[in-house]
Amino acid sequence: MPTTFEWSINLLLPLILTFVSFNLLSEGSASYFGQWCLLMFLDATYGHLFHVILLIPARRIASLLPGSKMPPLNDEKRLSEQEEQADDPSIVWPSPDVIAKLPEDWVVQRSNQTENDASEIHETDNIPKTSHSTNKKKRSLKNKNKSSSTTCNQNPNPHSNQPKKPIHTQPYYLNHVRGSTRVRHASQRIAAAIGTLCSTYLLCSFSSRVTLDDIGLGIPSAKRVLSDITLGIIVGASIVIFIFTLELKMGWIKVIGYCDTVVPKEMFTITFAWDILFHLGVSINEEVMWRGWMFILGCRGLLLGALDWFDDPSSAAVYAIVTSIALQSTMFSLLHLYSPGSTTVSLLNLFLGGIAASLNFMVAGGTLWLGIGWHFGWNIFMGHILGRSTSGIPISCSVVSVLPRPAYDKFHGGTFGPEQGVLAPLAYILGMAMVIILYGWDDLVAWKEHLVIESRRF
């Protein structure tokens, strides 16, 4: 629970920045880059404020859920530590029964782990220590040691002389959290989305240069918005199903269950509902921030400078759009630099994902609803319907429980998930082809022409 001083700071910072933004934008002295900087500051402060507000009821709700396991509500330090975990070391997954049914080359034998390591895991999560044999079993099934760089994944062929492959988290790559933890994660993501929308509304109200329609949050009609969101979900889900089907066909993953929670005592429907809210918050926050603000302000700012370099305004607009796509995609990719399991491959794949997201914005005529639908469909199907990791985000439940094959991490993406796999570029290209077929080029051309017209006003 925040102190009175912390509450004061959390309330005053957004108000001060709102006052500064109002004065700068009402005077017309802020450039497009300046407005982007103002958004970043406002978004951070309002997002944190809403996070602090929503976290209080979220913790209370989480403590009441079936199978909930969390520190006392007055233990701020341990609550925060649990909420910041990318993977809960107290969760044993998959279960011994599942392991017993696996083919021999799917079973991972762990390297030696000291008794002190095992007891540290138990003490961290307040789990009573069991017998030495039970600890040994758990260690053989799943290694949750934080010193991940020292662990190895044994080659599935026992007669091979090839060196063991290092792994970064656990034998089967997937990160997991309890449903009670996911509730608090969801509150943080929803708070971030509310903060972004609130900041966007304030800046668009103060600015004479940028409106909600420009950012992509205009509502031409309820039917059009619902249509764009629905088509986006269908496209995002379809290309994830495409990846899943090929991975299953090639033997890179194995289905081991249905409608499972990673903690058996938790309720699937409740946990899945919080997963939906989690990814809804992610989709709104990232699409508005990166495609709505960074991409459109980048296009406008670059176009103003490029008009002096090109004789043809249309050529200047093409230059501005391509450059802004590259900048936005780079920043979107780097946003995931420290995600669990991230490598150069995942960053390159996400750069292509940023290009696809920019195309969504343009072919839909400069609206975000298609992109929000795609982003949500991609995330929820990958992470919680088809049981694959999404940018290393931990899983709390899934409609289809999947085990990635240990020796094929370079193909299926390891801890980071399919976005780091070899099929991701093909899926992004397929998705772009689908939206072009569905929407055509007319709205994109009209949006580009509108961009040129708007640039001449300033």
Side-chain angles (χ1 to χ4, degrees):
M1 183 74 180
T3 63
T4 302
F5 176 75
E6 289 171 337
W7 272 115
S8 300
I9 296 297
N10 290 332
L11 289 168
L12 283 174
L13 276 179
L15 293 177
I16 292 171
L17 284 171
T18 300
F19 178 77
V20 171
S21 300
F22 172 76
N23 281 279
L24 289 174
L25 294 177
S26 60
E27 295 172 0
S29 59
S31 63
Y32 286 124
F33 178 73
Q35 291 185 62
W36 163 248
C37 291
L38 287 174
L39 174 79
M40 294 294 286
F41 286 119
L42 275 176
D43 180 74
T45 54
Y46 274 104
H48 182 70
L49 173 62
F50 289 119
H51 170 55
V52 172
I53 293 172
L54 293 181
L55 185 59
I56 297 171
R59 286 176 172 174
R60 177 66 63 181
I61 292 169
S63 68
L64 300 175
L65 293 179
S68 173
K69 184 177 185 304
M70 54 188 290
L73 293 177
N74 60 357
D75 193 339
E76 180 65 30
K77 180 180 179 181
R78 291 175 59 214
L79 283 168
S80 297
E81 288 175 351
Q82 189 181 53
E83 288 154 9
E84 291 169 3
Q85 287 177 332
D87 184 49
D88 190 331
S90 70
I91 297 172
V92 177
W93 188 94
S95 69
D97 291 340
V98 171
I99 292 288
K101 298 175 184 178
L102 291 175
E104 185 178 348
D105 63 341
W106 284 72
V107 178
V108 178
Q109 299 297 329
R110 306 304 307 165
S111 57
N112 290 334
Q113 181 183 15
T114 65
E115 191 68 27
N116 289 336
D117 291 336
S119 51
E120 181 183 346
I121 291 174
H122 289 295
E123 289 169 4
T124 300
D125 293 87
N126 280 345
I127 300 175
K129 285 181 66 177
T130 56
S131 65
H132 174 73
S133 61
T134 305
N135 285 334
K136 187 175 179 181
K137 264 186 183 179
K138 289 184 178 181
R139 292 196 301 272
S140 67
L141 298 177
K142 184 177 185 183
N143 179 11
K144 299 292 187 175
N145 194 330
K146 293 181 181 178
S147 303
S148 57
S149 60
T150 62
T151 60
C152 296
N153 178 14
Q154 182 173 319
N155 193 294
N157 183 357
H159 303 293
S160 172
N161 293 323
Q162 294 180 358
K164 296 178 181 179
K165 295 173 59 179
I167 63 170
H168 301 286
T169 48
Q170 57 274 333
Y172 295 105
Y173 301 106
L174 301 178
N175 291 328
H176 298 98
V177 292
R178 297 174 180 274
S180 55
T181 305
R182 177 45 51 84
V183 173
R184 291 167 280 164
H185 288 173
S187 74
Q188 181 181 13
R189 294 294 189 166
I190 291 295
I194 295 174
T196 300
L197 292 175
C198 181
S199 303
T200 297
Y201 176 78
L202 289 172
L203 288 184
C204 290
S205 299
F206 301 155
S207 176
S208 60
R209 289 187 168 192
V210 181
T211 66
L212 288 174
D213 286 344
D214 294 331
I215 297 302
L217 291 174
I219 302 177
S221 69
K223 182 179 179 181
R224 173 63 190 269
V225 171
L226 289 174
S227 173
D228 284 352
I229 292 173
T230 302
L231 288 175
I233 293 174
I234 290 172
V235 172
S238 297
I239 55 181
V240 171
I241 293 171
F242 165 78
I243 293 175
F244 179 85
T245 303
L246 286 182
E247 288 185 336
L248 196 62
K249 193 77 173 174
M250 295 178 184
W252 300 349
I253 58 174
K254 180 182 287 293
V255 176
I256 59 172
Y258 299 94
C259 295
D260 293 333
T261 57
V262 297
V263 177
K265 293 182 180 180
E266 294 179 343
M267 290 184 63
F268 174 83
T269 51
I270 295 176
T271 305
F272 188 71
W274 285 102
D275 287 326
I276 290 175
L277 291 175
F278 177 93
H279 287 293
L280 183 63
V282 171
S283 303
I284 294 173
N285 172 246
E286 293 186 359
E287 291 302 315
V288 174
M289 175 70 73
W290 300 107
R291 261 63 74 176
W293 277 98
M294 186 171 186
F295 175 60
I296 185 62
L297 292 189
C299 286
R300 290 192 170 191
L302 289 165
L303 180 55
L304 285 177
L307 287 173
D308 296 331
W309 308 338
F310 293 85
D311 295 330
D312 178 18
S314 181
S315 298
V318 171
Y319 163 80
I321 291 169
V322 171
T323 306
S324 187
I325 288 174
L327 290 172
Q328 176 273 132
S329 299
T330 299
M331 293 299 295
F332 178 66
S333 175
L334 292 176
L335 177 70
H336 299 80
L337 181 61
Y338 296 106
S339 296
S342 175
T343 66
T344 303
V345 175
S346 61
L347 298 182
L348 290 174
N349 285 347
L350 286 172
F351 180 86
L352 181 57
I355 295 174
S358 299
L359 180 66
N360 289 338
F361 182 87
M362 293 184 290
V363 299
T367 64
L368 288 170
W369 308 114
L370 172 65
I372 290 172
W374 169 316
H375 202 144
F376 177 77
W378 172 279
N379 280 12
I380 198 69
F381 265 78
M382 185 176 290
H384 302 286
I385 293 181
L386 298 179
R388 300 288 279 113
S389 180
T390 307
S391 303
I393 294 173
I395 296 172
S396 56
C397 72
S398 58
V399 175
V400 181
S401 295
V402 169
L403 199 69
R405 194 167 187 171
Y408 287 74
D409 58 302
K410 292 188 183 298
F411 299 103
H412 59 59
T415 302
F416 197 84
E419 290 165 321
Q420 188 167 270
V422 297
L423 298 177
L426 187 58
Y428 284 129
I429 293 170
L430 177 61
M432 287 188 280
M434 290 176 69
V435 297
I436 290 170
I437 292 171
L438 289 169
Y439 284 83
W441 298 105
D442 291 346
D443 287 343
L444 186 152
V445 172
W447 174 80
K448 189 189 78 168
E449 292 174 352
H450 178 73
L451 183 68
V452 173
I453 293 171
E454 284 295 305
S455 68
R456 289 171 175 164
R457 292 176 49 209
F458 304 104

